[in-house]
Amino acid sequence: MSEGNNEEGTFQHRKCTYLRDYLAQRSTIQFLMKGIEKAGCKIGSVDIQCVPCDGPAHGGFIPPLFSDTGKPQIVICENHLDGYKEQERTMVHELIHFFDDCRARVNWANLHHQACSEIRASMLSGECNFFAELGRGNFGFRKHYQTCVQRRAILSVSQNPNCQSRQQARDAVLAVWDTCFRDTQPFSRRP
């Protein structure tokens, strides 16, 4: 994900930072931030940056190895979000990556490691709920939820520079599917 210039005075930036700060006080985001701290890492809203982004991404997780600060960071793409629910889902998705990195020291170059975190982030963020999928023009009745989680995880893994093909991404997702789809930590069940 390539970031554009951050113009703090833009409406998009002000809206994104306002929602970030507001959502950081909401139960799901607060719960995840506390879960990250219980896993041994520190996080605050300063670790969640609103910036304009190139490409279609809504956000991204930057592992410590690639971060300017040497610690994990979350980027929210202020120019690609359509509102409160979308920003909330994006923040939850990226916080799951932050949690996974903290608790398991994920090797993001390993497609199986990334696949597990992508499965969990898609599953726990609400991005595959019926209305989110309906808004994307995707819906079905038979195992649609699982299909959505797999589709979104494959898409994310296929963007890893170490992934050679969509089939390799699919293989990585399917290899870890059973274990990672059952893992709802830090939640006791899927929210």
Side-chain angles (χ1 to χ4, degrees):
M1 168 180 24
S2 173
E3 298 170 24
N5 293 329
N6 185 354
E7 299 177 28
E8 292 189 18
T10 67
F11 173 75
Q12 289 175 329
H13 183 76
R14 289 190 313 269
K15 179 181 175 186
C16 181
T17 55
Y18 170 80
L19 285 175
R20 175 202 64 198
D21 295 344
Y22 174 75
L23 288 167
Q25 304 307 311
R26 305 286 292 168
S27 60
T28 303
I29 304 292
Q30 266 191 349
F31 180 81
L32 282 167
M33 292 171 93
K34 286 178 184 172
I36 288 166
E37 289 177 0
K38 284 180 185 175
C41 295
K42 294 192 182 306
I43 184 167
S45 59
V46 69
D47 300 310
I48 303 171
Q49 298 295 312
C50 290
V51 298
C53 300
D54 299 330
H58 289 165
F61 173 75
I62 303 170
L65 184 62
F66 302 110
S67 169
D68 294 340
T69 65
K71 56 187 227 175
Q73 290 183 303
I74 292 172
V75 170
I76 303 298
C77 296
E78 62 193 36
N79 54 325
H80 294 197
L81 296 172
D82 291 330
Y84 168 85
K85 286 309 281 179
E86 195 167 20
Q87 185 160 336
E88 181 179 40
R89 284 192 295 264
T90 300
M91 287 175 64
V92 170
H93 181 109
E94 303 309 337
L95 284 165
I96 293 296
H97 291 322
F98 200 124
F99 175 82
D100 287 349
D101 191 73
C102 182
R103 116 179 132 149
R105 305 292 184 239
V106 174
N107 174 357
W108 295 97
N110 180 315
L111 300 184
H112 291 94
H113 287 202
Q114 183 190 3
C116 188
S117 191
E118 296 295 351
I119 289 166
R120 289 175 28 73
S122 292
M123 172 183 64
L124 299 172
S125 67
E127 66 193 53
C128 284
N129 75 34
F130 179 77
F131 293 109
E133 276 290 270
L134 192 60
R136 290 184 201 105
N138 298 319
F139 54 92
F141 297 104
R142 199 152 189 255
K143 294 197 175 199
H144 183 77
Y145 182 78
Q146 291 89 333
T147 301
C148 172
V149 171
Q150 281 184 8
R151 183 184 74 248
R152 295 183 67 81
I154 291 166
L155 177 64
S156 292
V157 173
S158 70
Q159 295 172 15
N160 185 317
N162 294 312
C163 185
Q164 304 300 312
S165 67
R166 187 166 171 81
Q167 184 60 47
Q168 187 181 20
R170 185 179 188 284
D171 292 345
V173 168
L174 294 178
V176 298
W177 176 260
D178 289 337
T179 300
C180 300
F181 190 72
R182 284 193 305 264
D183 182 0
T184 61
Q185 291 298 314
F187 301 103
S188 58
R189 62 179 173 78
R190 189 173 49 151

